[in-house]
Amino acid sequence: MAPKVAIIGAGFGGLCMAIRLERAGIRSYTVFEKADDLGGTWRDNSYPGAGCDIPSHLYSYSFEKYASWTRRYPGQPEILGYLSHCADKYDVRRKIRFGTEVRRAAFDGRHWRLTTTHGEEGEQTEPTEATESFDMMVVSVGQLNRPHLPEIPGMSDFAGTSFHSARWNHDHDLTGRQVAVIGTGSSAAQLIPPVAAQAGRLHVFQRTPNWVIPKPDAAFGPLTRLALHYVPGLQRAYREAVYRYGEATLYPALAQGWSAGLLRKQALRHLREQVPDPVLRAKLTPDYPIGCKRVVIDSRFYPALTRDNVDVITDKIVRITPRGVETTEGLREVDTIVYATGFRSTEFLAPMEVTGRGGRSLSERWARGAEAYLGISVPEFPNMFLLYGPNTNLGHNSIIFMLECQVNHIMACLPRVAGQGPIEVRPEVMAAWTRRLDAAMDRMVWGSGCQSWYKTAEGRVTNNWPGPTPLYRRLTARPPGDAYRPSPAG
Ligand code: NAP
């Protein structure tokens, strides 16, 4: 009998899992989604200018080519449209329970008991709690789903309007306003150009400069779109070329190989060409190796910073006052603060409480940093599989590729789950995986003296995959074999 599967999250990962089950004829699954729409990070991040810096044809499922992309790099509405199209085409929307948050998941020796609450955040009535059992649980809650708000004294005293980039306040018109943007990561780089064009004055607070390389975006002309649609194999060839480019040129830079110097030169040239003022250029020049933090891929960010109505402030923020942002050099009066301050990326499944075999707590197991075999499985947590789990993020290629590899692995585990009951990854396999990961991590640039969302406060890189992605595909394509064992009692 097909196992009863709970999928948590209806973003790119959860939908991919649902579609694969559906295509395999397995209908005994439920997708839990805490929000009232699908899309995950692409539903949450609706700030002006939001989009992806991975080309459209690669930032999509391999099994669902899409002729409708209008640009080389997709904007957020288009990505959301694509996901909606996939959910409808493969008929998985009917299986999504919207407005239902999984608060707790506990393994009872045979099944996962999920405690859910129904009701939207902020609703007046108390959410109702329910419990349901499943044979297997696929957790796909993303790495960047919980906004990180900084702890700056006085934040709650601010008299104006403030919000996080991933919780954009669309009712708040920025026309002519005095705006502060705190943070200069990828989100800030995308939202600053449209905000600068609308605001009266924009104060950009930068703590650490990022390396920035150009994004050669363009709309597809009608002929290109027709060709991509109708010429056999063209879309696949284009996708493959984009994928290989990332592996062949960007990955070696992150592994501190031959292309690191070239990438650095490209970024410095981009800065020189777009920022004529040497004082501003100095502020924007990073002093750590390129790739250590996520490289910003954008061609509109620097020009926005050179506008007359934009200031880049690098003085340390001391506090927020009712009237604005105070730095060591004085107060910047503003009526709006946008926190483009990133996400609580190393906390993985939080705030969900997960307890595995014998009541073991996942958050305790991960106290020194999250880890999972292939980024997918955790010893003592039988029949629990993660999508976009620990050490599966990329700085150089498409996450959708990684998600599909993970779903392949989970699908390969499925007959064993159905046939033998609970299975779990062997502890010695997990230990060997960690050793291998640590060795590979030593080569990578992420440990080279910068702080980033890729690592814990103690400096352990818990988010990124340190190898080339074809290797990850090979590892996840292998039959699960001896890596798993029937779950022992207790
Ligand atoms: P982020 O890269 O973590 O950037 C957060 C920014 O906030 C940094 O500039 C950080 O400065 C600053 N910050 C945090 N706390 C601060 C404080 N207390 N005081 C002053 N500044 C503070 O977050 P993000 O820009 O939201 O991007 C997160 C990730 O999402 C990206 O790296 C990327 O992977 C993904 N993303 C992708 C795209 C895309 O096109 N594919 C677009 C947007 C986002 P420090 O650097 O000094 O910490």
Side-chain angles (χ1 to χ4, degrees):
M1 212 173 71
K4 197 175 161 198
V5 185
I7 301 172
I8 305 176
F12 254 109
L15 289 175
C16 185
M17 190 70 226
I19 291 169
R20 287 291 304 276
L21 288 172
E22 194 70 36
R23 291 176 82 189
I26 298 169
R27 306 270 141 75
S28 49
Y29 69 92
T30 305
V31 185
F32 293 95
E33 170 53 60
K34 69 175 170 9
D36 58 5
D37 199 2
L38 53 75
T41 196
W42 296 108
R43 177 203 56 232
D44 288 348
N45 285 275
S46 62
Y47 56 78
C52 187
D53 56 17
I54 301 291
S56 314
H57 288 86
L58 185 59
Y59 201 76
S60 41
Y61 299 128
S62 62
F63 56 81
E64 184 52 29
K65 294 203 289 313
Y66 195 52
S68 306
W69 295 119
T70 60
R71 315 189 60 79
R72 265 202 225 165
Y73 292 87
Q76 175 260 352
E78 267 200 275
I79 302 172
L80 211 49
Y82 172 77
L83 282 173
S84 209
H85 155 84
C86 294
D88 291 333
K89 177 169 173 182
Y90 294 96
D91 199 19
V92 297
R93 197 187 288 270
R94 73 189 199 292
K95 304 289 263 178
I96 308 174
R97 276 201 223 153
F98 291 109
T100 308
E101 178 173 0
V102 178
R103 291 274 173 94
R104 290 185 292 283
F107 185 72
D108 68 5
R110 188 83 203 159
H111 300 109
W112 280 99
R113 288 175 67 77
L114 267 51
T115 306
T116 59
T117 55
H118 189 78
E120 276 292 282
E121 225 176 276
E123 275 184 6
Q124 295 303 310
T125 50
E126 270 294 294
T128 48
E129 236 179 53
T131 305
E132 207 172 326
S133 289
F134 292 86
D135 299 310
M136 174 176 155
M137 167 166 94
V138 179
V139 188
S140 182
V141 295
Q143 294 191 5
L144 301 169
N145 78 10
R146 299 179 75 209
H148 160 75
L149 277 176
E151 287 172 16
I152 305 174
M155 278 170 64
S156 56
D157 301 334
F158 183 57
T161 303
S162 63
F163 46 89
H164 188 272
S165 55
R167 299 286 181 271
W168 197 263
N169 182 346
H170 290 277
D171 296 331
H172 183 66
D173 184 5
L174 291 175
T175 309
R177 288 195 183 272
Q178 307 292 304
V179 181
V181 171
I182 300 181
T184 50
S186 300
S187 301
Q190 291 184 339
L191 68 88
I192 281 170
V195 168
Q198 213 188 347
R201 178 132 225 109
L202 172 60
H203 309 266
V204 175
F205 291 86
Q206 173 191 268
R207 187 166 64 180
T208 315
N210 274 297
W211 288 101
V212 182
I213 58 172
K215 174 168 150 179
D217 192 18
F220 289 123
L223 276 181
T224 311
R225 285 180 67 179
L226 279 176
L228 282 164
H229 196 174
Y230 291 109
V231 177
L234 184 62
Q235 207 180 132
R236 183 165 297 280
Y238 172 57
R239 178 185 163 99
E240 189 64 24
V242 178
Y243 169 74
R244 286 188 186 204
Y245 173 81
E247 287 308 309
T249 63
L250 297 179
Y251 176 72
L254 302 182
Q256 309 189 76
W258 67 272
S259 57
L262 288 180
L263 198 65
R264 186 171 185 277
K265 273 194 192 137
Q266 184 193 22
L268 288 172
R269 190 170 57 241
H270 184 54
L271 177 61
R272 251 191 339 269
E273 283 169 1
Q274 292 203 321
V275 182
D277 172 13
V279 177
L280 180 56
R281 220 161 45 215
K283 282 186 184 178
L284 298 173
T285 307
D287 63 357
Y288 55 86
I290 192 162
C292 186
K293 291 160 100 73
R294 168 67 147 80
V295 174
V296 172
I297 307 174
D298 206 289
S299 298
R300 298 168 65 215
F301 176 50
Y302 283 153
L305 299 181
T306 66
R307 290 173 62 110
D308 288 342
N309 69 332
V310 177
D311 288 333
V312 177
I313 300 130
T314 53
D315 310 315
K316 190 173 165 17
I317 298 173
V318 182
R319 67 178 67 82
I320 307 288
T321 76
R323 289 187 298 134
V325 182
E326 191 179 316
T327 71
T328 46
E329 298 302 304
L331 178 69
R332 296 273 172 159
E333 290 202 28
V334 295
D335 52 46
T336 307
I337 301 177
V338 176
Y339 292 101
T341 44
F343 298 87
R344 298 164 70 165
S345 51
T346 56
E347 296 175 11
F348 287 88
L349 273 50
M352 201 164 77
E353 287 166 38
V354 183
T355 47
R357 187 156 58 74
R360 280 126 176 125
S361 147
L362 187 64
S363 57
E364 275 171 31
R365 188 182 170 99
W366 282 354
R368 283 185 291 126
E371 56 176 22
Y373 170 63
L374 299 170
I376 299 175
S377 302
V378 184
E380 301 181 321
F381 290 77
N383 288 4
M384 177 181 90
F385 299 92
L386 311 178
L387 293 176
Y388 198 20
N391 297 109
T392 62
N393 179 58
L394 302 176
H396 74 285
N397 220 319
S398 173
I399 296 302
I400 317 306
F401 173 94
M402 300 294 276
L403 288 173
E404 286 193 55
C405 292
Q406 290 147 24
V407 171
N408 285 342
H409 178 81
I410 299 170
M411 291 303 288
C413 289
L414 210 63
R416 294 209 19 211
V417 170
Q420 298 178 354
I423 57 165
E424 64 182 60
V425 66
R426 293 177 190 277
E428 63 275 20
V429 172
M430 180 71 233
W433 175 256
T434 303
R435 281 196 301 276
R436 188 173 176 181
L437 213 55
D438 286 349
M441 207 59 90
D442 284 347
R443 280 201 308 271
M444 305 306 289
V445 67
W446 307 311
S448 63
C450 75
Q451 188 47 259
S452 77
W453 67 263
Y454 297 157
K455 50 189 171 186
T456 62
E458 294 75 38
R460 184 169 180 81
V461 179
T462 52
N463 291 64
N464 282 11
W465 166 244
T469 61
L471 172 64
Y472 189 74
R473 174 162 48 190
R474 276 201 302 282
L475 293 170
T476 46
R478 277 197 319 220
D482 287 346
Y484 291 82
R485 63 177 179 182
S487 188

